Amino acid sequence: MTFPNLDKPVQFLKGVGPVRAERLGRMGIATARDLLYYVPRRYDDASTVQPISALEVGMDATLVGRIRSKGIIPTRSGLRIFQAVLQDDTGMITCAWPGQPWLDRKLRKDDLLLVTGPVKFFHGRQIQPRDMTILSRAGTEGDHDPGVGTIFVSYPASEDLPQWVLRGLFEKNLDALLGYAGREDHLDGEERRSLGVLGLEEAMGALHRPRSLADVEPGRRRLAYDELFFLQLVQAMARYRETVARPSIKFERTNELIRPLHEALPFSLTDAQTRVLREIYDDMTSSRRMNRLLQGDVGSGKTIVALFSMLLAAEGGYQAALMVPTELLAEQHWRRLSELVKPLDVETVLLTGSLLTKERRAALAAIKSGAARIVIGTHALIQEGVEFDALGLVVVDEQQRFGVRQRMALSEEETAPDTLIMSATPIPRSLALAAYGDLDLSVLDELPPGRTPVHTRLEYPSKRDEIYAFIDRQIEEGRQAYVVYPLVEESEKLELLAATEEHRRLAEEVFPTRRVGLIHGQLDSDEKDEIMRDFLGGGVDILVATTVIEVGIDVANATVMLIEHPERFGLSQLHQLRGRVGRGVADSYCIIISPAKGDAGERLKIFRDTSDGFAIAQADLVIRGQGDLFGAQQHGRDLILRFADLSRDEDLLVAAQRRARDLVSGDPDLSAPAHSDIRRLLDGRYGEKLKLFSVG
């Protein structure tokens, strides 16, 4: 089957032509299919439209009326107000747009408008619209008064292609477009019933021409499923290529290293750690290559899970590499893991960029000979001159700090090592499935017993001096503190405290007898490392910082985290910052200072009252939306999900992943005739955007 009618240029649709085609192209509409998928941004139900005669001062009204007269009213202050008198079957009312005289050129007498705004009293009733849509242009085809029960659709419009033009194009072409859509539906009737979604033709009709507002959501869910399915299909193909198609290592578990470590640990593994290790061991001892994402909250014990995984590789005579984003973190892991495996006679080697020539030469020799069974380092692990004897497992810690190519560089051997990617940034399950569908997912959702929770307080700026006094008392007791700001330097546009200026003030005026340090992202790596070493060693009492410390080393002696302007951060980012304290046995505190009220204040209360990183991440997803959480570093992935809402479509996502993986397991290239239509849609409508997911 081919789909020539939806693939043809939009220019050849009714009412378009070369000029409008060029304008549509600037809006991303090049083909008939693009126009079909250009769905309304807003719906207004005629049953909620108030008759003009019923409008009263103080109401927030939505009305439909024709322009009976219009003009520009000057004021003594020089402000020019555009006014139009609208009429429906019940009466007339004046609409006023202060400071928008250009509307006199845009609107014509007898245009039909949909307006929403507050009703005020000014020489009689008057409405000041905050939103206005031209439903139809006077004298054009389709210009008629709406009937009872009409749903008004409003499309994203432009100056060149106003609302009434777009509505006219859909009136002329929608029936044909819907028929074509039905022919490229990749779900048969049984599959649609199983998933509980509409057919594509019916879904598109519900979005463009709904009979009621209740029709819109089922239409959206069908398009959401398609987005999620094709996203998962590309990721399933990448997953197959990385885990099944490439030659892999089948590890043999002997327990000669794993059992002694278990017995020597001064603590028991949590149920979550045991479950995750079982998942990892199943992968590593199978014939397929492991490509797994391990998510865990701060303090959930990811590092010990990584160590047991590396020991399984070592039991089979292979090497394991742990790559971390900073030298300080690499040194911390190296010291900790070396101590744990010392009784096992497993050699661990540290490789960072700052090693002396003699130390680096020795480390490279141990790696090349295979004497180094566990190698811990920074991106220096993937630099020229590093040769492994038999690399079997790659563990990437704080994976978001590395680019895709950096993460993959250690896996480019002909027989690729297994890969375990770790993240201490909890994200909701739906977001993890969408963003990392090419990986298998493990979650550490349990903290070890006895871990002391961080006391979190939300305070107004008026309490700042009391908080400073509290910090000073903590330092007097031998503790240390962080003070975090959203900006490095002051901004004329934003009335926010900034780290550089506040460091000077805190050091000179507030804590003149304390040692106050400063760290931010504009410093080079060596400067940041030096400052953090000083803080770790106790040479700094108070560290003034930006979010550069969001992922960092453990400073067990730091017991206070003060965050200024927390409303400028996402909830998950605040939780990561809070995780910098509470690393030792002493009571620890996270204090956020904000005057925020309303929605911002409620968001901060969620952070104050919630210590579960995954619950916070879910709240962040609902509040901020998925686009922010995908983030720029994910190469614009959020642009793919125009219809899917990960906060409420997890059921569709799970079903889409299951179907995609089932298809790919039986037909990895989708080359079977039965899958030709799906392959064509994947390469056509979804292919360009989803190429971003074909690596990693």
Side-chain angles (χ1 to χ4, degrees):
M1 182 191 296
T2 59
F3 314 121
N5 294 302
L6 284 181
D7 290 332
K8 72 179 179 182
V10 71
Q11 174 181 342
F12 301 109
L13 296 180
K14 293 179 183 177
V16 181
V19 175
R20 281 185 177 168
E22 182 183 353
R23 294 172 179 174
L24 287 166
R26 290 198 292 268
M27 298 167 66
I29 303 172
T31 66
R33 181 180 288 102
D34 294 334
L35 184 65
L36 179 63
Y37 279 83
Y38 198 74
V39 301
R41 64 175 174 84
R42 181 180 134 201
Y43 299 87
D44 290 281
D45 189 346
S47 65
T48 66
V49 172
Q50 295 110 317
I52 290 175
S53 62
L55 301 183
E56 298 179 0
V57 174
M59 293 176 60
D60 195 74
T62 298
L63 63 94
V64 173
R66 286 194 182 276
I67 298 177
R68 293 312 182 197
S69 63
K70 68 186 182 76
I72 298 172
I73 311 298
T75 66
R76 292 180 181 176
S77 65
L79 181 68
R80 303 173 73 203
I81 303 173
F82 173 71
Q83 286 189 349
V85 176
L86 299 191
Q87 181 181 30
D88 67 6
D89 292 339
T90 69
M92 293 189 290
I93 193 170
T94 299
C95 294
W97 286 268
Q100 301 182 60
W102 55 271
L103 284 173
D104 192 40
R105 299 188 303 273
K106 178 176 181 177
L107 299 178
R108 303 175 186 174
K109 185 180 177 182
D110 292 330
D111 283 352
L112 187 67
L113 303 188
L114 171 71
V115 298
T116 299
V119 181
K120 301 184 177 182
F121 185 85
F122 185 77
H123 301 298
R125 293 179 309 163
Q126 183 183 94
I127 188 168
Q128 292 188 3
R130 62 174 174 272
D131 201 1
M132 181 269 294
T133 299
I134 304 174
L135 295 178
S136 60
R137 186 63 96 184
T140 62
E141 183 181 350
D143 175 32
H144 59 274
D145 290 327
V148 176
T150 298
I151 302 297
F152 301 111
V153 297
S154 298
Y155 294 91
S158 69
E159 192 69 26
D160 289 336
L161 287 170
Q163 192 66 229
W164 64 271
V165 171
L166 290 170
R167 289 168 59 87
L169 292 179
F170 278 103
E171 286 177 8
K172 291 184 178 81
N173 294 286
L174 186 58
D175 286 337
L177 293 175
L178 292 178
Y180 303 149
R183 299 175 198 170
E184 68 170 33
D185 196 338
H186 61 93
L187 294 174
D188 61 31
E190 184 178 343
E191 288 171 321
R192 293 196 294 268
R193 284 189 295 275
S194 173
L195 292 165
V197 297
L198 301 177
L200 190 58
E201 180 177 356
E202 187 181 359
M204 283 297 188
L207 288 169
H208 287 286
R209 194 183 286 158
R211 296 182 300 275
S212 70
L213 290 180
D215 290 348
V216 175
E217 175 61 9
R220 181 203 68 82
R221 274 180 61 85
R222 169 55 205 265
L223 268 60
Y225 174 80
D226 281 4
E227 284 184 332
L228 296 170
F229 170 69
F230 284 100
L231 168 60
Q232 289 298 316
L233 194 58
V234 168
Q235 293 183 324
M237 294 169 77
R239 174 177 177 268
Y240 183 92
R241 184 185 64 239
E242 291 300 315
T243 63
V244 179
R246 295 183 69 179
S248 60
I249 301 166
K250 185 175 182 180
F251 295 92
E252 296 292 333
R253 180 176 175 180
T254 66
N255 281 330
E256 63 179 292
L257 298 175
I258 291 173
R259 182 176 292 117
L261 179 61
H262 261 298
E263 294 171 349
L265 286 178
F267 54 84
S268 297
L269 297 181
T270 65
D271 291 342
Q273 287 172 318
T274 302
R275 183 190 70 246
V276 166
L277 277 172
R278 188 181 306 117
E279 294 167 352
I280 292 170
Y281 290 164
D282 285 347
D283 276 356
M284 293 181 68
T285 56
S286 74
S287 57
R288 61 186 292 274
R289 176 174 171 260
M290 180 171 72
N291 203 24
R292 185 168 288 276
L293 171 64
L294 172 59
Q295 267 197 288
D297 210 341
V298 174
S300 60
K302 295 181 297 300
T303 304
I304 197 68
V305 168
L307 177 57
F308 274 110
S309 305
M310 291 189 285
L311 289 180
L312 176 57
E315 285 184 350
Y318 290 92
Q319 296 165 289
L322 170 60
M323 186 166 73
V324 299
T326 69
E327 292 198 359
L328 272 175
L329 195 54
E331 291 172 12
Q332 176 180 283
H333 280 315
W334 177 68
R335 284 192 298 269
R336 189 177 292 171
L337 298 186
S338 295
E339 188 66 27
L340 285 171
V341 302
K342 189 175 181 180
L344 307 179
D345 195 27
V346 173
E347 183 176 348
T348 62
V349 165
L350 175 68
L351 186 64
T352 64
S354 64
L355 287 181
L356 299 175
T357 302
K358 182 179 179 181
E359 295 171 327
R360 176 176 173 79
R361 191 179 296 121
L364 291 176
I367 294 170
K368 185 175 182 179
S369 69
R373 310 292 288 282
I374 295 177
V375 183
I376 301 166
T378 58
H379 62 278
L381 291 173
I382 58 176
Q383 291 177 344
E384 189 175 353
V386 182
E387 295 181 49
F388 285 85
D389 175 53
L391 183 59
L393 173 66
V394 174
V395 182
V396 181
D397 194 17
E398 300 300 346
Q399 60 84 24
Q400 71 277 12
R401 300 283 159 162
F402 296 100
V404 171
R405 291 297 178 192
Q406 284 179 305
R407 295 201 306 262
M408 295 178 67
L410 284 169
S411 301
E412 292 178 348
E413 313 277 339
E414 182 178 346
T415 300
D418 283 10
T419 302
L420 179 64
I421 297 172
M422 303 197 299
S423 175
T425 305
I427 59 176
R429 179 169 177 259
S430 59
L431 191 59
L433 291 174
Y436 303 106
D438 53 330
L439 306 175
D440 294 304
L441 179 64
S442 288
V443 177
L444 286 174
D445 51 7
E446 178 184 4
L447 294 179
R451 184 174 171 84
T452 305
V454 176
H455 305 287
T456 304
R457 290 161 44 189
L458 170 58
E459 302 287 2
Y460 286 106
S462 59
K463 294 293 188 75
R464 190 174 280 114
D465 288 342
E466 293 180 30
I467 295 166
Y468 288 158
F470 173 74
I471 291 174
D472 199 60
R473 290 195 300 273
Q474 287 283 302
I475 295 170
E476 188 65 30
E477 294 174 10
R479 308 300 179 195
Q480 293 165 280
Y482 298 94
V483 182
V484 178
Y485 298 92
L487 302 179
V488 175
E489 296 177 341
E490 286 184 346
S491 166
E492 293 181 0
K493 297 180 180 179
L494 299 172
E495 295 183 4
L496 301 174
L497 300 177
T500 303
E501 287 74 17
E502 285 299 293
H503 168 255
R504 180 202 56 76
R505 186 181 71 86
L506 292 175
E508 296 177 4
E509 301 173 19
V510 182
F511 302 105
T513 64
R514 305 301 182 188
R515 298 162 297 180
V516 184
L518 173 66
I519 188 170
H520 54 74
Q522 293 180 11
L523 301 176
D524 64 36
S525 297
D526 289 342
E527 289 178 294
K528 286 186 284 191
D529 275 0
E530 183 179 352
I531 293 164
M532 285 306 299
R533 287 181 201 280
D534 204 12
F535 188 58
L536 179 62
V540 170
D541 299 315
I542 300 169
L543 185 60
V544 177
T546 59
T547 56
V548 70
I549 62 159
E550 180 183 347
V551 175
I553 59 171
D554 292 351
V555 181
N557 198 45
T559 57
V560 182
M561 166 71 64
L562 170 60
I563 305 174
E564 295 274 9
H565 303 294
E567 69 278 0
R568 302 288 300 182
F569 303 105
L571 291 179
S572 293
Q573 194 171 34
L574 287 173
H575 183 65
Q576 285 295 105
L577 290 168
R578 176 168 57 186
R580 293 300 96 215
V581 295
R583 318 294 289 193
V585 295
D587 283 347
S588 294
Y589 305 85
C590 179
I591 305 168
I592 54 177
I593 296 180
S594 176
K597 297 181 180 179
D599 290 344
E602 290 303 312
R603 190 168 63 86
L604 294 179
K605 289 177 182 176
I606 292 172
F607 170 70
R608 179 195 64 191
D609 299 336
T610 310
S611 59
D612 183 337
F614 288 97
I616 285 175
Q618 182 64 35
D620 222 1
L621 176 62
V622 173
I623 293 168
R624 297 173 65 202
Q626 60 214 28
D628 287 340
L629 292 177
F630 274 121
Q633 290 186 342
Q634 298 301 331
H635 310 288
R637 294 181 175 192
D638 53 306
L639 299 178
I640 295 164
L641 301 182
R642 291 175 53 209
F643 306 106
D645 182 343
L646 297 179
S647 66
R648 53 179 169 151
D649 291 334
E650 186 174 324
D651 61 322
L652 294 180
L653 177 55
V654 171
Q657 185 180 83
R658 185 184 306 116
R659 179 174 177 240
R661 290 186 174 184
D662 286 347
L663 277 177
V664 169
S665 66
D667 184 10
D669 298 321
L670 301 180
S671 56
H675 300 148
S676 59
D677 290 348
I678 290 177
R679 182 78 216 200
R680 193 174 294 110
L681 283 170
L682 179 65
D683 293 339
R685 171 162 173 72
Y686 294 94
E688 281 303 311
K689 289 181 179 179
L690 294 179
K691 282 179 182 176
L692 300 168
F693 290 84
S694 63
V695 294

